Amino acid sequence: MLRRTAEPLSSWTTLHLGGPARTFVEVATRAELYDTVRALDARGEPVLVLGGGSNVVVADAGFEGTVVRVGTRGVDISDDACGGVGVTVEAGEDWGALVARAVHEKWIGIEALAGIPGTTGAVPIQNVGAYGQEVSDTVASVHVYDRTERRTRTFFSADCEFGYRTSMFKQTPGHYVVGGVTFQFRPGNLGAPVGYAELARTLGVEVGERAPAAEVRSAVLRLRSRKGMVLDEPDHDTWSAGSFFTNPLVASGDLPNGAPAWEQRDGRVKTSAAWLIEGAGFTRGYGNKRARLSAKHTLALTNRGDASTDDLLALAREVRDGVRQKFGIELAPEPVLVGCSL
Ligand SMILES: Cc1cc2nc3c(=O)[nH]c(=O)nc-3n(C[C@H](O)[C@H](O)[C@H](O)COP(=O)(O)OP(=O)(O)OC[C@H]3O[C@@H](n4cnc5c(N)ncnc54)[C@H](O)[C@@H]3O)c2cc1C
């Protein structure tokens, strides 16, 4: 097991931000992951489970405890009676590689989630989604270590309380360690019905129609690259945590004039955080030499190379406060804030 002290977390986050972890370990198997967390809990040691570091903002002061980086590997395939394919994936498997493999193996349902960085164990945490797909569409069950009950458990999808960029795992931070995820894919060449207008236009189909999964994946990667939403080390527009704010859910009467609106089942509407940010006067590239909005997408807050977490949070507060002042709508951060707050 890899073990270091005073490891700079800026080396392990896509924002390239975060002070040192007092102790940093990397685990290679699910048993090692669970045993390590169990032992640290028994000692009362603070624990941060870390995947690809693409959805965390870590304080400049770092983490006074042990960071357990999930480096577990393994993909187990089982055909089931309903004609679907069950695939159980260890938490540390790279998500983008799994999407590429799914398209290659003709497993349908995650092709539009290409280009999202990070590990497979993290995808149920905030129910990752993009271009009309959410991972909850294909997650069958999530295998965890329950740190409160000190036992392993399996939650079926219906019990995970998946919602827009949330789940019970995100609602109860630190309670569960995800060891693996079982997906239920339909087999085929055509991707799931395209649920996003921009993607449908790019593919030359109507919303609700289907296109070859390989083409969906390629189109998504192209669209994302243009927006700086695919990691690219030399491009500081990608030194981010993706979208910094979630799209707010508001009562329809509170929707600003002209704002995009997607109706929700609970009667509220989801509107666009990027539209609100731009409407409040924050343009692409807004900020200073250290921390700025991406030049390609106003929703991504980026580190230009020598920012601190404090610089990034100052920018986030300015944007949040500007939107509140202009529209009376409170933007909420999407990444998990570790040792810091907005
Ligand atoms: C350029 C870019 C584009 C992005 N685009 C999207 C997008 O389109 N849609 C979207 O939904 N997200 C997007 N994201 C956010 C992010 O990639 C996802 O949320 C991703 O699933 C996080 O994975 P990770 O392994 O990096 O998690 P980390 O950042 O390492 O961790 C995130 C949180 O999950 C917890 N966690 C991680 N692994 C485990 C585990 N095994 N068990 C328990 N807890 C765990 C961590 O403690 C932390 O609280 C983007 C990020 C970037 C940088």
Side-chain angles (χ1 to χ4, degrees), residues 253-331:
D254 294 338
L255 194 68
N257 272 342
W262 297 278
E263 281 170 23
Q264 304 296 297
R265 281 197 206 109
D266 64 3
R268 290 183 300 172
V269 289
K270 184 162 79 179
T271 188
S272 158
W275 187 93
L276 296 169
I277 291 169
E278 286 159 30
F282 301 100
T283 49
R284 292 177 191 183
Y286 178 90
N288 58 38
K289 276 195 206 140
R290 295 185 305 281
R292 276 191 238 153
L293 303 186
S294 158
K296 303 185 182 77
H297 199 308
T298 43
L299 254 187
L301 274 61
T302 64
N303 170 6
R304 309 316 294 185
D306 52 8
S308 64
T309 300
D310 281 348
D311 292 328
L312 191 93
L313 291 174
L315 176 62
R317 285 184 200 112
E318 199 184 338
V319 171
R320 178 202 58 190
D321 294 351
V323 167
R324 185 198 293 133
Q325 217 167 356
K326 170 90 184 190
F327 298 111
I329 293 176
E330 189 75 18
L331 291 181

Side-chain angles (χ1 to χ4, degrees), residues 14 48-56 70 91 116-119 121-123 125-126 128-130 165 176-178 224 229 231 240-242 334 336:
T14 55
L48 171 65
V49 177
L50 192 67
S54 64
N55 210 29
V56 286
V70 184
I116 299 178
T119 56
V123 295
I125 307 276
Q126 72 155 7
V128 300
R165 285 311 86 73
Y176 302 103
V177 178
V178 177
R224 295 183 68 98
M229 285 292 181
L231 292 185
S240 76
E334 183 186 299
V336 175

Side-chain angles (χ1 to χ4, degrees), residues 28-39:
T29 65
R30 198 191 294 191
E32 205 176 39
L33 169 63
Y34 290 173
D35 288 348
T36 302
V37 173
R38 189 183 289 119

Side-chain angles (χ1 to χ4, degrees), residues 103 199 203 211-220 222:
V103 169
L199 178 59
L203 288 162
E215 285 178 27
V216 174
R217 175 174 172 268
S218 304
V220 165
R222 277 199 311 278

Side-chain angles (χ1 to χ4, degrees), residues 147-276:
R147 294 174 64 194
T148 306
E149 297 193 9
R150 295 185 206 161
R151 64 181 176 105
T152 58
R153 302 176 68 178
T154 291
F155 291 104
F156 292 104
S157 184
D159 301 322
C160 293
E161 296 169 29
F162 287 125
Y164 165 63
R165 285 311 86 73
T166 193
S167 70
M168 84 170 176
F169 309 112
K170 187 148 184 178
Q171 294 306 317
T172 54
H175 191 140
Y176 302 103
V177 178
V178 177
V181 182
T182 300
F183 298 87
Q184 180 74 20
F185 297 121
R186 269 170 293 129
N189 268 322
L190 291 179
V194 176
Y196 198 82
E198 186 188 26
L199 178 59
R201 270 197 306 279
T202 307
L203 288 162
V205 299
E206 297 294 321
V207 169
E209 286 182 357
R210 302 172 69 186
E215 285 178 27
V216 174
R217 175 174 172 268
S218 304
V220 165
L221 288 173
R222 277 199 311 278
L223 287 170
R224 295 183 68 98
S225 292
R226 272 186 233 145
K227 298 174 187 173
M229 285 292 181
V230 174
L231 292 185
D232 177 18
E233 189 71 14
D235 180 0
H236 283 267
D237 280 334
T238 74
W239 288 31
S240 76
S243 301
F244 195 90
F245 296 105
T246 52
N247 288 325
L249 297 165
V250 297
S252 55
D254 294 338
L255 194 68
N257 272 342
W262 297 278
E263 281 170 23
Q264 304 296 297
R265 281 197 206 109
D266 64 3
R268 290 183 300 172
V269 289
K270 184 162 79 179
T271 188
S272 158
W275 187 93
L276 296 169

